[in-house]
C-alpha cells in the first residue's frame, strides 16, 4: 500500500540508543511502543540496520524535565576536546560521516575509536554528566549540525 510517499504496508521502525523505547509505525498508521534497542534491531535486521547518531555544536532543543514539564534548552558551543568540537572544525557546517568507510582512512579509525566527552541530546533535561563516547562504537553514521533550533509543537488535533 503506497500512499504516494514511497512507503509500504510493512511500516518503518525507529530506535534510539541510551535505553529509549522503540517506536514502530506499522501498516495503516498503527503505532506501537516496545523495548527493543539498537543492538536487538541489528541482530534482527542484520547488515541493513544502521545506527545513526547526531552531533550538535550549539543551539536549542525541546525536552522534558524530570518532573515532566516541557521546555526549550540550550547547548553549546561545543567544549574543546569533545567529539562535537572536533567535528565542527570540518570546513562544511552541516554534514554526515559514514563511519563504516571513514575508519579505513589513515588516522581516522583510531580517532573514531577513542572515547571523548559527547553531548547527547536526550528526551529529558538536564543531560549531565556528559558521557565519554567512541563514535564508531556507537553509530554507523553521524550527522553533524553546526546550529540547531528547537522544534515547534504542532497544535492539538480535534
Amino acid at each position: 500500500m503506497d500512499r504516494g510517499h514511497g512507503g509500504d504496508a510493512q511500516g518503518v521502525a525507529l530506535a534510539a540508543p541510551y535505553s529509549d523505547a522503540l517506536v514502530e509505525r506499522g501498516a495503516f498508521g498503527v503505532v506501537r511502543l516496545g523495548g527493543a534497542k539498537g543492538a536487538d534491531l541489528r541482530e534482527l535486521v542484520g547488515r541493513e540496520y544502521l545506527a545513526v547518531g547526531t552531533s550538535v555544536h550549539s543551539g536549542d532543543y525541546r525536552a522534558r524535565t524530570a518532573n515532566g514539564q516541557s521546555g526549550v534548552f540550550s547547548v553549546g558551543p561545543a567544549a574543546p576536546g569533545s567529539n562535537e568540537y572536533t567535528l565542527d572544525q570540518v570546513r562544511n557546517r552541516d554534514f554526515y560521516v559514514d563511519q563504516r568507510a571513514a575508519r579505513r582512512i589513515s588516522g581516522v579509525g583510531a580517532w573514531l575509536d577513542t572515547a571523548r566527552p559527547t553531548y547527547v541530546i536526550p528526551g529529558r533535561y538536564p543531560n549531565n554528566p556528559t558521557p565519554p563516547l567512541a563514535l564508531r562504537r556507537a553509530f554507523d553514521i553521524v550527522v553533524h549540525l553546526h546550529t540547531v533550533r528547537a522544534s515547534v509543537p504542532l497544535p492539538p488535533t480535534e
Side-chain angles (χ1 to χ4, degrees):
M1 174 177 166
D2 187 342
R3 295 186 182 168
H5 302 290
D8 60 31
Q10 292 178 353
V12 175
L14 168 69
Y18 312 110
S19 301
D20 289 338
L22 169 75
V23 178
E24 181 178 349
R25 183 180 65 92
F28 309 110
V30 176
V31 175
R32 295 182 292 262
L33 298 176
K37 307 296 184 275
D40 297 326
L41 286 172
R42 185 179 298 279
E43 185 177 315
L44 290 170
V45 176
R47 293 173 37 106
E48 293 182 16
Y49 173 79
L50 293 176
V52 179
T54 305
S55 166
V56 174
H57 175 265
S58 60
D60 301 319
Y61 65 96
R62 184 172 301 284
R64 292 192 183 276
T65 62
N67 63 5
Q69 293 179 323
S70 180
V72 173
F73 304 96
S74 296
V75 62
S82 68
N83 283 316
E84 294 83 3
Y85 180 84
T86 302
L87 289 171
D88 206 61
Q89 303 307 302
V90 172
R91 179 176 25 134
N92 300 324
R93 300 306 264 177
D94 301 325
F95 60 93
Y96 73 93
V97 178
D98 184 338
Q99 298 185 102
R100 299 164 301 164
R103 68 179 178 224
R104 294 188 289 267
I105 300 170
S106 178
V108 174
W111 186 85
L112 293 171
D113 282 335
T114 302
R116 290 179 183 75
T118 302
Y119 191 84
V120 178
I121 294 180
R124 298 267 178 216
Y125 182 84
N127 179 26
N128 293 314
T130 302
L133 180 70
L135 292 176
R136 191 169 70 118
R137 293 183 193 147
F139 308 112
D140 296 308
I141 296 173
V142 173
V143 177
H144 178 76
L145 303 171
H146 177 70
T147 305
V148 295
R149 293 187 318 228
S151 62
V152 177
L154 294 173
T157 58
E158 293 183 24

